[in-house]
Amino acid sequence: MQSEFPEFYQVKLKKEDIKNSLIVFDTNYLLDILRLPVGEANKYLKALRHVKNNMYIPYHVALEFNFNKITVKTETKVSLDLYKKNVMKQFQILEDEVSGLSLLKSDSMKKTFTDSMLDMTNEFKGKFSEELSLQISKSFSDKSIYEKLIKNIENSIGEKYKQDWIKNVEEEGEKRYEKNIPPGFDDSIKNEVLRTYGGLEYHEKYGDLIIWKDIIETAKKTEKSKIIFVTNDGKSNSKNDLLFKVKGQTIGPSIYLINELKKESQKDLYILNNIRFVELTDTLSEEEIIDLRNSEVINYENNNNIKFRKSFIDKYLLNLENVKSLENEKSLYLNSLREIRKERDYTEDQIKYFNSINNARVTPSEASEERINYLSKKVKDLMFLEEKFIDKIINLENFDDKNNLGLENQDFDLY
């Protein structure tokens, strides 16, 4: 049984196998180093250093890394600025509440009170914003991460392909995808995007197959008996062309791929996700492993789709002017809201005054009652306007959250 069907009896990978195998990295492992917080990125880099003498970066992986590193860097910048904007938005809410305070009726006392509270709020807001920026910078903006990454992988990149070789791979890929033969058939629904670089042309939908064929050719030349492919590409529930899954549970690499590599090179195939690889190369505490898993804040369903990421950034850039317009409109509504609240407070004071006059009389003055009725109606109208402006502000904020990324500037550090 084992000799006839070896793919179903594969020996479990051990920690000591890491240094005795050829480790092949996918693009997403390299990009994760750029998108993760500094602490976790350094763990990924440390894992790379552990296998520096037996790692391999397919040429296509290196090329895709260079095409996508700017997008990943921009995404991170956008996400951090959006996070900061949403946090700082709470201070604006607090300031609006303090400014619209109706606790005190005397204008002079109210001004003294609100000015004092606003001064305290603004002072704390400034310190908070400064500390928030500092912590974000410490956690995500270590420029040396990129330099360390390049230094670790630059001598492990495979040879550039020839156009005839790519053409043959794509012709084979067309037939494989029709029969759902892995890897890459899940990408066959991609548009026929043709990418060119350095005199080479290739269709993006065949990217996984190009990497796989590179792995096979490299496996034939290495003395290592095991090939370990490190990738997160199989984590998505929509990706079923790389791993063998049963009822949503990952059993191991695709049986077809294990069989194909064994047939072509007499080597054993193992596939590890990024975090599992880091775990096997280092002695990590349970807490560190949990931190690593929690740091995977990027949704791979979306972020493995390059077109989605590009449209995400483009959408923001197109909406920059809309953002400014929204902020100006919201500011006008907030000013109107303050004026309405001020007028309502004054009107309510008048109602109390006329009520006190009527209460002091045996027979209420008809003119006073008419005045009270008029003022009461005015209060209701002001309350209706207040609700209307609050709804407008909420709608603007919801639109703002859904249709722009809230970036304060475009001063990206894009390597």
Side-chain angles (χ1 to χ4, degrees):
M1 289 288 283
Q2 290 185 347
S3 60
E4 190 66 29
F5 307 104
E7 301 84 11
F8 296 92
Y9 297 90
Q10 194 173 47
V11 178
K12 187 176 181 180
L13 195 67
K14 299 176 182 176
K15 202 161 189 173
E16 53 266 28
D17 290 326
I18 293 293
K19 287 196 173 182
N20 300 317
S21 304
L22 181 69
I23 314 297
V24 184
F25 289 96
D26 199 1
T27 312
N28 51 59
Y29 185 92
L30 307 181
L31 292 176
D32 265 5
I33 293 174
L34 301 185
R35 65 163 64 95
L36 286 171
V38 172
E40 280 61 44
N42 276 317
K43 289 184 176 68
Y44 274 50
L45 282 171
K46 187 178 179 182
L48 274 182
R49 289 195 295 271
H50 275 297
V51 297
K52 191 171 183 179
N53 295 326
N54 58 312
M55 78 161 75
Y56 177 66
I57 311 293
Y59 181 83
H60 187 77
V61 166
L63 182 58
E64 287 298 303
F65 168 78
N66 282 296
F67 271 126
N68 291 299
K69 65 183 182 182
I70 293 177
T71 302
V72 169
K73 183 69 175 179
T74 306
E75 284 172 2
T76 304
K77 176 69 175 173
V78 166
S79 297
L80 292 174
D81 279 4
L82 179 58
Y83 167 78
K84 182 178 179 181
K85 178 192 172 185
N86 287 336
V87 171
M88 296 306 295
K89 189 184 289 185
Q90 304 308 310
F91 283 97
Q92 183 62 52
I93 294 172
L94 177 60
E95 288 173 12
D96 292 341
E97 288 298 320
V98 172
S99 299
L101 187 70
S102 57
L103 179 66
L104 302 169
K105 298 305 180 186
S106 167
D107 286 345
S108 60
M109 289 180 66
K110 183 176 179 180
K111 186 177 188 310
T112 301
F113 184 87
T114 54
D115 286 352
S116 175
M117 296 300 292
L118 287 174
D119 287 343
M120 291 172 62
T121 303
N122 286 325
E123 182 180 358
F124 178 65
K125 178 182 178 182
K127 292 179 180 179
F128 186 90
S129 177
E130 186 177 337
E131 181 63 23
L132 182 61
S133 297
L134 177 63
Q135 292 300 325
I136 287 176
S137 177
K138 284 168 61 177
S139 299
F140 288 91
S141 304
D142 188 348
K143 295 179 182 179
S144 68
I145 293 289
Y146 174 74
E147 295 168 1
K148 292 175 185 176
L149 172 58
I150 299 303
K151 185 177 180 180
N152 274 280
I153 67 174
E154 60 185 355
N155 295 321
S156 302
I157 298 171
E159 293 181 5
K160 184 177 180 179
Y161 310 129
K162 296 185 182 302
Q163 187 62 51
D164 287 344
W165 183 84
I166 293 177
K167 181 182 178 182
N168 290 335
V169 170
E170 292 193 345
E171 287 176 353
E172 181 183 343
E174 187 174 359
K175 297 174 183 176
R176 290 173 72 120
Y177 287 5
E178 286 177 358
K179 300 176 182 178
N180 285 348
I181 297 176
F185 63 76
D186 276 337
D187 295 330
S188 62
I189 60 173
K190 287 182 178 179
N191 293 329
E192 292 288 332
V193 178
L194 183 67
R195 190 169 258 179
T196 60
Y197 176 79
L200 297 179
E201 291 184 350
Y202 64 94
H203 291 86
E204 286 188 3
K205 69 177 183 178
Y206 295 116
D208 287 353
L209 184 58
I210 289 172
I211 293 172
W212 174 241
K213 287 295 185 177
D214 189 336
I215 291 173
I216 291 177
E217 294 301 315
T218 305
K220 292 177 182 178
K221 302 170 187 175
T222 184
E223 296 179 357
K224 307 290 186 184
S225 62
K226 294 180 175 64
I227 307 298
I228 300 175
F229 186 35
V230 181
T231 179
N232 266 1
D233 208 24
K235 290 188 71 172
S236 167
N237 291 329
S238 64
K239 292 283 285 183
N240 299 291
D241 59 358
L242 192 65
L243 299 174
F244 179 34
K245 298 179 180 180
V246 177
K247 294 185 177 181
Q249 297 297 311
T250 299
I251 308 302
S254 161
I255 298 299
Y256 188 96
L257 296 181
I258 297 176
N259 182 278
E260 186 175 15
L261 188 69
K262 192 74 171 178
K263 178 183 175 182
E264 295 287 340
S265 67
Q266 302 305 308
K267 303 299 191 303
D268 295 322
L269 174 67
Y270 292 86
I271 296 179
L272 299 177
N273 66 50
N274 298 348
I275 288 181
R276 182 59 182 151
F277 168 73
V278 175
E279 288 179 40
L280 286 174
T281 57
D282 200 1
T283 303
L284 300 176
S285 67
E286 186 176 344
E287 184 178 357
E288 286 177 312
I289 292 172
I290 292 173
D291 286 343
L292 270 179
R293 296 190 185 283
N294 288 340
S295 292
E296 287 195 315
V297 294
I298 301 299
N299 184 326
Y300 283 95
E301 291 270 353
N302 291 331
N303 283 281
N304 280 337
N305 186 329
I306 297 168
K307 288 176 64 180
F308 171 84
R309 295 207 298 270
K310 187 175 184 304
S311 67
F312 188 69
I313 302 304
D314 288 346
K315 187 176 182 181
Y316 162 70
L317 296 175
L318 288 172
N319 279 334
L320 267 179
E321 292 304 317
N322 289 343
V323 174
K324 295 175 184 176
S325 175
L326 286 174
E327 290 298 326
N328 290 336
E329 190 175 355
K330 190 166 73 173
S331 178
L332 290 173
Y333 285 146
L334 285 169
N335 288 335
S336 298
L337 194 57
R338 292 189 188 101
E339 292 300 318
I340 287 171
R341 285 172 172 171
K342 186 176 180 180
E343 187 175 358
R344 192 187 69 189
D345 289 344
Y346 175 73
T347 305
E348 287 176 342
D349 285 341
Q350 283 190 304
I351 291 174
K352 289 180 181 179
Y353 170 73
F354 281 107
N355 274 330
S356 65
I357 293 176
N358 277 347
N359 290 336
R361 294 173 176 167
V362 176
T363 304
S365 165
E366 186 176 336
S368 290
E369 285 190 332
E370 287 181 2
R371 182 64 176 168
I372 290 171
N373 290 334
Y374 166 75
L375 292 171
S376 296
K377 184 179 182 304
K378 185 176 181 181
V379 169
K380 288 181 180 179
D381 291 341
L382 288 169
M383 289 178 69
F384 173 77
L385 280 175
E386 182 181 35
E387 289 179 5
K388 188 175 179 181
F389 278 114
I390 289 173
D391 287 341
K392 285 180 179 291
I393 292 167
I394 291 173
N395 288 335
L396 281 175
E397 289 176 344
N398 289 338
F399 180 82
D400 189 19
D401 289 340
K402 290 176 182 176
N403 293 278
N404 79 83
L405 306 179
L407 210 58
E408 294 174 1
N409 60 67
Q410 295 183 62
D411 187 22
F412 300 143
D413 175 19
L414 298 180
Y415 301 132

